[in-house]
Amino acid sequence: MPTESHERHSRALAWSWGLVLLLSALATTWLLRDGLPTDTRLTAMLPEDRQAPLIERADARLSTSFENRFVVLLTAPDLRGATRALAERLSSAGGASPLLSRLIWRDVDLAEADPREALGAYRYRLLTPALQQTIDAYGGASLVAPALRSLFSPAGQPQLVADPFGLLGRWLAARDASPVEAHDGLLTVTDDGQRYALLIGELADGPYSLPAQQALTTAIEDFQQAHPDAGLLRSGLIFHAAAGAEQAKREISTIGLGALIGLVIILLVVFRSPRVLAQMLLPLGCGLLLALPLTLALFGQLHVLTLAFGASLIGIAIDYALHLQCERAVAGSRFRLRPLLPGLALALVSSLLAYLAQALTPLPGLRQMATFAALGLLGAWLTVVLWLPRLVAPAHPATARIAERLWRISMPRRRLSPSVALLGAGLLAALAAWQLTANDSLRLLNPSSPAMLAEERQVQRLMGSDTGSRYLLVSAADEPALLSRLAEIGDTLDRWIAEGVELRYTNLADSVPPPAVQQANLARVERLYSEPLSELVARAGLPDSVIERARSRIEDVPILDVATWLGSAIGEADRRLWLGKIDAAQADMPGNMAAVMPLSGVESAALERRLTAFAERHANVVYVNRVERLSSLLGELREHIALWLGMALAGMAIVLAWRYRGLAWRVLVPPTGAVLIVLAIFGVIGVPLNVFSQLGMLLVLGIGLDAGIFSVEHARRPSTWLAISLSTLTSLLAFGLLAFSATPALHHLGLTCLLGLAAVWLLVPWVRPTHVGS
Amino acid sequence: MRERSPRRPSLARPMAVLLLLLPLPALAFDLNDLQAQLGQTKAIEGQFEQQRYLADLDTSLDSRGHFTYRRGERVVWVLEAPVKDRLVFTPDSASVIDESANASNDRRRDQVAALFLRLLGGDWQALAERFEIAIDGDVDDWRVTLTPKSAALRERITGIELQGGRYLEFLTLHAANDDVLEVRLFDQHPLSDSNAD
């Protein structure tokens, strides 16, 4: 019996814990007054590339321009009618809060702002390469005939004084490399004789808005029902986001609900009391309540992945409640908390150590997740120790019966000897080391189906657009120098292309020629305006005054700069290419100005190497492959987790050796054995390792350690074995079922847990000590 | 027409049907009628005279030649004076206007060519997307006025007038910069399929 002072002491502790939780609740409400500040960007989870903040900026610049748009390509027997019908559905989608801020689908939609107005003054400094060559070689005499034709064609729009040779029209036509053409009042692209109508939507609310996804999906489904013979090709983040959300919703209602129902049934069958069930969940709630405000206060905002994985990791805390409850149910009135405390404390310390090790890594996402999970685990543990013993819980006799029966049927008569265990571990490790591969491909994070990705690629190909996933980052001292540098690189790439290299690039210097080139172009136009202009005017039968008036226009021509170009309607699309001023102090490249040059069509490894080598030869050029880069960051994340996990395990081994001496290996076998078994199985069946399977290992290790500790602490107790079995079974339900998820990340986490937890449960009986126990 | 009497349906109904079948001059000649009338001829050839008034220079550019037109397919515009040239307009591109420029990529020019084709063909459904269309006159002497709907288009074209009888005879296009394009089509006659090109 506890003494009275002891009782007073523990009551005071329980009250203070209540006070802490109350403060947490208040802090949470205050912090969440404007909603939960969550971060959904995937890259926010990855380490900030401190060596390359400029690359981060370039990445962000290139990706945001894609996020709020989507493209639909349509084929139909009655293309015009079908396109109009789809456009009407899309425009009216969303009802009172429209889905789209703009829909482009008619040929006139693209001609709304006339670029001639904004760029008219600069036209004499802007010449296409073809025009430059024509004037350099022949003085431009061959340009007279087309100019005459435009004067007399009924479809011509001649500007005799401002631009008799139509220089601006040619230059703008050359700027517009897009394969989109006007046809029958529509915007179309053609592929292999097949004509597609083009619709470009600009989203009012961004791709992650659920109502927007809903409205878009409905509009397109309705359209497809009304036009079964129409074919659709979709591209845009919102389609992938919608499919992902749809898949998550489906899985929550199947996998998630299934796991929850299974969990409740098992706990009810064993404990036969809804009140016990509530007591099991109370620590989890309290843990979350402690973790949420503290993590928010530490990090400012929560990443969605932290919330998802962190909350799952806190789920391990159900172990503590299970052990307490199993013991209480079997021991009945003889139940005391004190004998359980060392095991519970060690279980907590082992998990905290594993998580806090992650919190020391340089990866912001991992740090946040580990902090969140460690705090939650601590909160749950305190609730179990301080509150649960004080709460009345009915102990049903069935619990003890179940524990006895489980003990009888599942305990093997033989045990594993240390040498066999060591041999087994060595074999498994060798198998894993020999066969196991790793795959850090970014595709793991992409829940889109292969069909959707193929559709996306087809649209990108038809539209001739780049995804911004490969680019050259170029810097220089000032704007003219940067433009010259870009132009030189463009010339180099042109030479490669002339050699037969498959490559396309988008160069800002093609749109805004370096000042020196603009100067040379003006000199060419002066040459064109001498003989050829006189000839044109004479052959058209116009008065000579036209010549003087046209020539007066080229006397004081401003130089086109980047800001003017990007501010014009036609140059708007190039804003993603311009990084502008860079902070020289923190920049990873020399210079004060930077721009990007997106590349597409880079298919071969040889070209990849050539680009890398090219960039390495120049101090102010960097070649970036975003997919590769993000993949390598993911790989780094995976290696960090493995390293810190190994170190945590080594630390744990020391602590365990100090408490359990010769029995320490029995504690370590379930967690490490399970991890080795999973690694070996992955190696044999050819599943590559990735960051998500490793997060699963973290769970397996935590639960395995708890199982090992309790099994050694209370070796011969059926109640402990029941608690261990329930703990692995509930975790199997919660995480193992994710193996059936179609989302690659969740699938890998789930598969690891499924195999690992099963291995933990199978290993524990084989290594339980023969005697000892409190 | 007299009100139908329920007591004497046998006489009233055939009369009403008969009245509807008669071509009444009182009924307005509308765009559908005109389209049907123009659509009767699948291919035409004829002469043209074109005058482009350049407001900026206060002078005019005159040209003439002959043309062939195949409905919905193309116009071949053969300039005879003051320069000799052959222009082909199709709904997809005005490819021959300028070989040296990348013509197929110039959406703007394609639009002008497509507009020209639609004006010749009286494709009101397509034109109505961008223009308010008014018609008056009758089958032998009609006049159609097109006014741009969007401000963007009004910055380039203020209005278009078409006049004609059996065929389109006059086309006048007022540009926003006060330039005026006037095209007169004459000596027009239908072309049989065999020699149409």
Side-chain angles (χ1 to χ4, degrees), chain A residues 218-465:
Chain A
T218 318
I220 287 186
E221 275 171 4
D222 289 352
F223 169 79
Q224 279 176 319
Q225 251 159 32
H227 297 82
D229 50 359
L232 281 177
L233 288 177
R234 278 155 290 190
S235 154
L237 192 53
I238 186 165
F239 292 115
H240 298 271
E246 186 57 35
Q247 185 168 293
K249 214 160 63 188
R250 218 169 31 239
E251 287 179 353
I252 285 169
S253 57
T254 54
I255 300 178
L257 204 64
L260 191 68
I261 291 172
L263 210 84
V264 168
I265 288 177
I266 289 168
L267 292 181
L268 279 180
V269 162
V270 173
F271 296 111
R272 316 263 161 130
S273 155
R275 207 191 305 170
V276 172
L277 190 69
Q279 284 187 20
M280 295 277 141
L281 299 178
L282 179 70
L284 302 187
C286 293
L288 278 173
L289 195 57
L290 183 73
L292 197 62
L294 285 177
T295 317
L296 268 180
L298 278 171
F299 292 91
Q301 58 177 1
L302 271 190
H303 196 278
V304 258
L305 280 181
T306 304
L307 217 53
F309 283 120
S312 313
L313 290 172
I314 293 178
I316 300 182
I318 205 170
D319 282 14
Y320 313 139
L322 278 171
H323 278 286
L324 189 113
Q325 190 56 36
C326 285
E327 181 67 18
R328 182 149 66 171
V330 172
S333 60
R334 286 172 291 116
F335 167 74
R336 296 285 174 278
L337 176 66
R338 193 156 269 279
L340 280 179
L341 265 181
L344 285 175
L346 211 57
L348 174 73
V349 169
S350 65
S351 301
L352 283 188
L353 215 62
Y355 291 157
L356 289 177
Q358 309 289 325
L360 295 176
T361 59
L363 308 164
L366 202 54
R367 219 158 33 196
Q368 200 187 64
M369 205 149 71
T371 312
F372 187 78
L375 284 169
L377 222 50
L378 184 68
W381 190 86
L382 285 172
T383 310
V384 168
V385 170
L386 297 176
W387 282 9
L388 283 203
R390 316 188 69 82
L391 295 172
V392 185
H396 199 279
T399 309
R401 270 205 316 275
I402 291 170
E404 280 301 331
R405 196 171 309 153
L406 181 71
W407 177 264
R408 266 204 320 279
I409 59 173
S410 56
M411 275 302 140
R413 246 168 290 149
R414 304 232 239 134
R415 285 187 178 76
L416 219 57
S417 71
S419 50
V420 174
L422 202 63
L423 189 69
L427 274 175
L428 289 171
L431 195 60
W434 174 46
Q435 284 285 326
L436 197 62
T437 54
N439 179 4
D440 300 311
S441 160
L442 203 62
R443 241 165 297 154
L444 285 174
L445 293 169
N446 193 341
S448 300
S449 65
M452 273 189 84
L453 291 176
E455 203 172 305
E456 176 83 45
R457 270 196 302 276
Q458 197 184 349
V459 174
Q460 302 261 1
R461 185 179 62 77
L462 289 175
M463 298 282 296
S465 52

Side-chain angles (χ1 to χ4, degrees), chain A residues 80 84 107-108 112 116 149 151-156 158 160-161 170 176 178 180 183-185 195 549, chain B residues 50 52 54 56 63 77 82 85 87 92 96-100 105 107-108 111-112 118 129-130 152 181:
Chain A
R80 197 178 161 74
R84 168 182 292 278
D107 53 3
V108 279
E112 254 170 31
R116 282 153 217 263
R149 190 177 290 164
L151 281 180
F152 293 109
S153 160
L160 252 176
V161 173
R170 288 164 187 259
D176 183 5
S178 105
V180 179
H183 173 80
D184 201 16
R195 194 179 281 281
R549 288 185 61 188
Chain B
Q50 177 183 312
R52 189 187 285 282
L54 300 166
D56 200 14
S63 56
W77 201 254
D85 213 334
L87 311 172
D92 285 342
V96 193
I97 284 189
D98 186 351
E99 292 114 340
S100 52
N105 270 340
R107 281 190 289 270
R108 186 177 306 275
Q111 285 174 34
V112 179
R118 281 187 190 143
E129 257 175 42
R130 295 191 237 171
L181 175 76

Side-chain angles (χ1 to χ4, degrees), chain B residues 66-121:
Chain B
H66 64 272
F67 71 96
T68 53
Y69 167 66
R70 288 182 66 81
R71 183 163 304 279
E73 284 177 29
R74 62 166 140 180
V75 186
V76 180
W77 201 254
V78 183
L79 276 167
E80 289 162 358
V83 290
K84 289 204 188 314
D85 213 334
R86 185 170 181 272
L87 311 172
V88 181
F89 304 106
T90 68
D92 285 342
S93 78
S95 54
V96 193
I97 284 189
D98 186 351
E99 292 114 340
S100 52
N102 199 353
S104 66
N105 270 340
D106 192 345
R107 281 190 289 270
R108 186 177 306 275
R109 184 152 43 208
D110 292 357
Q111 285 174 34
V112 179
L115 175 66
F116 187 57
L117 269 181
R118 281 187 190 143
L119 289 172
L120 289 182

Side-chain angles (χ1 to χ4, degrees), chain A residues 590-609:
Chain A
N592 307 310
M593 291 274 186
V596 295
M597 192 189 288
L599 307 168
S600 58
V602 183
E603 304 288 351
S604 73
L607 182 53
E608 192 96 22
R609 278 195 301 277

Side-chain angles (χ1 to χ4, degrees), chain A residues 673-740:
Chain A
V675 166
L676 282 175
I677 287 173
V678 173
L679 289 177
I681 292 177
F682 278 2
V684 169
I685 63 176
V687 174
L689 208 58
N690 61 58
V691 71
F692 295 99
S693 46
Q694 230 156 27
L695 282 173
M697 305 272 178
L698 204 61
L699 272 161
V700 170
L701 230 92
I703 293 167
L705 257 181
D706 285 1
I709 288 168
F710 281 106
S711 148
V712 171
E713 286 278 338
H714 317 285
R716 303 189 66 95
R717 267 199 236 151
S719 67
T720 306
W721 177 231
L722 177 66
I724 291 172
S725 303
L726 284 178
S727 142
T728 42
L729 196 60
T730 49
S731 306
L732 257 182
L733 279 173
F735 306 115
L737 284 186
L738 291 179
F740 302 103

